Amino acid sequence: MKKRSAFLIIVAALMYCAEIMAQGVSYVEGNEFVLAETKQVNQFFRRFNGEEDYDGTRFYSSDSLFRSPLLRQVYLSNLFDKLSTNMSDSMKNSFIFNVTDSYDPKFLNHKRNDWYAQVDVMISYENQKHPCTLFLKMERENKGTKWVLANVYFQPFTHLFKGVDYFGNEAYKPGPYLHPKSHEIKFVNLKKAFDRLDEIEKYAANEFNPDYLTLFIYELKRGNAKFLDVKNVKFHFFQVDNWYFELSSLSRKSMNSGWLITDLMRVAEKDKEILRKYIFFHENNHAN
């Protein structure tokens, strides 16, 4: 009897979703929106994993529908931003097929550190308002977890280090340097280097990368920078092998609303670090 009930619920869920897709988004107001909207990030995790239905009813490990592959396929198809043109149907279907594979299913875990919060904030810096992007990640502490600052993108800082190749892809260009026999003249030629502040970073070692988070905290402590408010939040997920997706909050009067996947791409595990750097440092990713 229990198996029969589970089957009927799955069929009902499929029919419900099929009806919605057939109707399109035609509701003006009503509980349908409230029930379908993924209002919380933790709720997104549960629906992605097949641990909650559209009524908000939790499935626990003892429930027959807990992490049901078939039910997950239904839920996952409704966790994408359906108005986005960045994700083809074939790519979304491939992702869903991959994460609901009965033999090797993929689940999200909010306690892991391979997902990042991107928080766009306003900062007062040297008496002017500037947009700033903070990146936070999960970190374990004792038996719990906490969000910690992982990086910061702040244009006044990045503008100062325009000569830094974050991705290591730029062709070699000869620049100013200290002669290898500088030690014989007690490095008096350092004066020339420090007079060229617009390219002083070119005198640094190859492995030099400016630590913007240290700079940011330093300027906050000196009182030159002050936090004003939060403007926007989204998340970057690297938890699924060979995939990356972005999660954003969309407010619409439709069933396709709330925390939704707004970008999706295949990324080989060996290339994920390159993508992380691109997100952290590429100025086009951030509000100006």
Side-chain angles (χ1 to χ4, degrees):
M1 179 61 76
K2 191 174 183 179
K3 287 183 178 178
R4 176 180 169 78
S5 299
F7 175 76
L8 289 174
I9 292 174
I10 291 172
V11 171
L14 288 169
M15 292 177 65
Y16 172 70
C17 293
E19 183 179 358
I20 290 169
M21 287 184 283
Q23 291 177 345
V25 179
S26 58
Y27 298 99
V28 177
E29 290 183 347
N31 290 333
E32 295 86 358
F33 294 149
V34 178
L35 296 176
E37 181 180 2
T38 307
K39 294 177 281 295
Q40 298 176 333
V41 177
N42 280 348
Q43 193 171 38
F44 172 85
F45 274 81
R46 291 194 294 269
R47 289 182 173 179
F48 186 102
N49 292 341
E51 298 168 1
E52 176 184 317
D53 68 8
Y54 282 123
D55 292 332
T57 303
R58 295 281 298 274
F59 298 138
Y60 296 95
S61 56
S62 58
D63 296 327
S64 58
L65 293 178
F66 180 76
R67 294 186 170 183
S68 158
L70 187 57
L71 204 59
R72 287 187 71 202
Q73 290 174 11
V74 176
Y75 288 166
L76 279 162
S77 67
N78 287 288
L79 290 179
F80 290 96
D81 173 14
K82 295 183 176 177
L83 299 184
S84 172
T85 56
N86 295 330
M87 304 170 285
S88 66
D89 288 341
S90 61
M91 178 175 286
K92 288 187 284 189
N93 290 337
S94 178
F95 178 76
I96 292 172
F97 178 80
N98 184 245
V99 299
T100 60
D101 185 338
S102 299
Y103 297 101
D104 186 24
K106 313 294 192 306
F107 301 101
L108 300 181
N109 184 339
H110 72 276
K111 294 181 179 179
R112 285 172 51 177
N113 64 3
D114 45 3
W115 64 301
Y116 298 87
Q118 177 178 329
V119 185
D120 296 323
V121 302
M122 290 301 295
I123 295 292
S124 172
Y125 182 61
E126 296 180 337
N127 299 318
Q128 287 189 332
K129 287 185 177 180
H130 294 271
C132 175
T133 301
L134 303 175
F135 292 96
L136 296 94
K137 68 176 182 179
M138 277 286 177
E139 189 172 87
R140 288 192 175 278
E141 184 173 73
N142 298 324
K143 295 181 179 179
T145 56
K146 61 181 182 181
W147 283 107
V148 295
L149 290 170
N151 208 339
V152 60
Y153 179 89
F154 193 43
Q155 198 173 40
F157 294 166
T158 56
H159 183 72
L160 287 174
F161 296 93
K162 288 184 290 187
V164 177
D165 177 15
Y166 299 105
F167 307 103
N169 295 326
E170 293 182 5
Y172 171 74
K173 296 177 184 176
Y177 64 94
L178 293 173
H179 193 279
K181 290 188 177 179
S182 298
H183 56 285
E184 300 292 2
I185 55 173
K186 297 182 179 178
F187 293 98
V188 294
N189 51 354
L190 275 173
K191 184 178 186 313
K192 182 179 178 181
F194 284 106
D195 283 342
R196 307 174 71 165
L197 292 181
D198 57 328
E199 50 186 359
I200 186 67
E201 61 269 26
K202 293 181 180 176
Y203 289 89
N206 287 337
E207 62 271 23
F208 167 71
N209 260 321
D211 181 349
Y212 293 131
L213 183 55
T214 298
L215 275 175
F216 186 68
I217 292 173
Y218 176 75
E219 291 292 63
L220 286 170
K221 284 180 174 286
R222 284 173 55 86
N224 293 332
K226 292 181 181 178
F227 173 83
L228 296 178
D229 59 355
V230 173
K231 306 300 288 185
N232 189 46
V233 178
K234 62 181 178 181
F235 298 91
H236 304 277
F237 282 82
F238 295 84
Q239 291 196 0
V240 180
D241 292 347
N242 300 308
W243 289 93
Y244 155 83
F245 68 84
E246 175 188 280
L247 183 69
S248 304
S249 180
L250 303 176
S251 179
R252 298 174 181 146
K253 282 191 172 182
S254 78
M255 307 293 283
N256 189 225
S257 184
W259 286 102
L260 299 171
I261 295 173
T262 47
D263 199 4
L264 173 72
M265 64 176 72
R266 293 179 186 272
V267 183
E269 290 301 295
K270 65 181 179 62
D271 294 329
K272 282 189 172 178
E273 185 55 31
I274 297 174
L275 179 59
R276 259 189 288 266
K277 284 185 179 179
Y278 182 83
I279 293 170
F280 279 7
F281 297 115
H282 201 277
E283 62 181 320
N284 292 335
N285 290 326
H286 312 286
N288 293 315

